Structure formats: structure tokens, C-alpha cells
Amino acid sequence: MRLQFTALLLGVFFAAPALAAKLTEAQAVERAYAAIAQGHWTSLAPECLSFEPVKPEWSFVVREEHNNICGGDELTAPRLFDVHVNPQNGVVTRQE
């Protein structure tokens, strides 16, 4: 009985990292917004950024949002840069 319990505990312990929940797309975008602000990657306000999902999972093209509030030609959305959010640990990297 003790051996089975120990084996069960070890199985749970070693499987726990694999069972950790991945980020949702909304959480990935939230992490990207935070990294952009913290790293001063653009001087645009958060409401003037849009995120276009691309492959691989949780990679986004960050674009300027043009509208009445942010200004600019509403028919364009210039690409600023790409970001990737690691779905396992939430680390955000910027790609030009």
C-alpha cells in the first residue's frame, strides 16, 4: 500500500508541469500589452494597437489602430512589429 501511494505521489509530482493550464488567447494578448508598455516598444496608447493572430499559437502582428480616437487613415493599419507569447510560461518576445 505504501509503495502504491508513493508511486501515485511521484506520478502527480512529475506530471504536474505537463498538466499546467496553457494561456488563453485573451491572456496572451494581456501579457503582450503589459510587455509592450513595460518595454516602451511604442509610444501609442494601448487602445491604438490591434493584435492580428498568426501561426504559431499565440503569435500576433501588432498594428496601429486608425480611427476617430487614434487618428490616421481608417483604411490602413500599419504593422509595427510581431510578438510571441509562450503559452507555457507567458514570456513575451518581440520580433521585427
Side-chain angles (χ1 to χ4, degrees):
M1 178 71 169
R2 184 175 195 167
L3 181 60
Q4 289 175 336
F5 182 70
T6 303
L8 178 63
L9 283 178
L10 287 174
V12 170
F13 177 77
F14 287 112
L19 297 175
K22 285 186 175 183
L23 293 174
T24 65
E25 184 173 351
Q27 291 169 324
V29 170
E30 189 176 297
R31 296 270 178 121
Y33 270 122
I36 290 167
Q38 185 177 26
H40 304 286
W41 294 349
T42 180
S43 60
L44 295 172
E47 58 272 8
C48 296
L49 301 176
S50 67
F51 290 79
E52 176 185 323
V54 294
K55 298 289 182 189
E57 184 179 41
W58 310 144
S59 290
F60 304 92
V61 174
V62 180
R63 296 185 177 277
E64 285 185 37
E65 183 73 34
H66 288 173
N67 54 36
N68 291 338
I69 297 169
C70 300
D73 182 352
E74 292 184 17
L75 299 177
T76 65
R79 179 188 167 277
L80 298 172
F81 47 82
D82 297 349
V83 295
H84 175 74
V85 182
N86 184 312
Q88 299 301 325
N89 60 20
V91 172
V92 180
T93 54
R94 176 181 173 170
Q95 298 139 357
E96 293 297 326

